[in-house]
Amino acid sequence: MATVLDSHFLALTAIVTLGYQIFFFIITALLKFDKVTDFAGSTNFVIIAVLTLIIKGSWHFRQVVLTSLVVIWGLRLAIFLLMRILQWGEDRRFDEMRSNLGKLAVFWIFQAVWVWTVTLPVTVVNASDRDPSIQAEDIIGWIMWSVGISFEAAADQQKLSFKNSPENRGKWCNVGVWKYSRHPNYFGEIFLWWGIFVASTPILEGAEWLVILGPIFLTLLLLFVSGLPLLEESADKKFGNVAAYRIYKETTSPLIPLPESVYGNLPLWFKAIFLFEFPFYSRSLPHEGLNW
């Protein structure tokens, strides 16, 4: 059994992740170059998955499959985000951070925590000696991952094509999967990482079940911190006075894809409790907006 610092590779992955993010933080801070930020985050997932698989060296089928799923997701996202930022220019998220080293450092530390925490299921699977036969949980998890990455990839490509069309300049994206969810890319990302957790469960024992903190952390992060709240606020400020946008927002699910004919007719209390339509997502709408 290969053991590096600890039998579950938790310390190893923490050190590698922190070192990798510090390296790119230094590049960003010295060169004022933030085009590699998302690339650094996405490729870090790939490094952790492949590193733990190779160091353990047992090459169980479940380990190979989960590692491959993380690699496919990470490389697709890294390449897409890098090409997008190179095409669009500077990342506006860092407008206030470029001259504030403290804020920039906090962001990169948070990104390291994000990577390490979300990769916990595949890290523990790759570190395990257990190799039970393929079970229903494996199949369900792989299907969830497939659905999630399909949504995420489709949403990314559809929005990129929409924004690249001159006739859509100054409009919000409401084509393809964006007809059914205001943030289908985030739905896909959350769903696929819950799928990876589900596929990891056949080998989990005792405290190893704490790897559920990975998908929980990702879900909370996107729902309450850096995902939906920021994008909802930005869109509301841009389009809040446009009647068609207000209708789109009222009839389109914030996360889970649903037909507008279904979502638009649901009561607000149901949307808030079961579909993540939280009132603070509309706090930047003009006062005549949704009546919470």
Side-chain angles (χ1 to χ4, degrees), residues 39-59:
F39 179 84
S42 303
T43 54
N44 203 155
F45 285 88
V46 175
I47 291 172
I48 292 302
V50 173
L51 181 64
T52 53
L53 178 68
I54 292 175
I55 289 178
K56 183 62 179 180
S58 52
W59 302 94

Side-chain angles (χ1 to χ4, degrees), residues 211-256:
V211 300
I212 196 175
L213 293 174
I216 289 176
F217 179 81
L218 175 67
T219 303
L220 295 177
L221 177 68
L222 293 180
L223 285 178
F224 298 105
V225 184
S226 68
L228 274 70
L230 296 181
L231 293 179
E232 289 286 309
E233 180 180 12
S234 176
D236 287 355
K237 288 180 178 179
K238 289 181 181 177
F239 310 114
N241 290 311
V242 180
Y245 169 77
R246 301 166 79 87
I247 293 174
Y248 170 75
K249 181 158 187 171
E250 189 171 358
T251 59
T252 307
S253 170
L255 187 69
I256 300 173

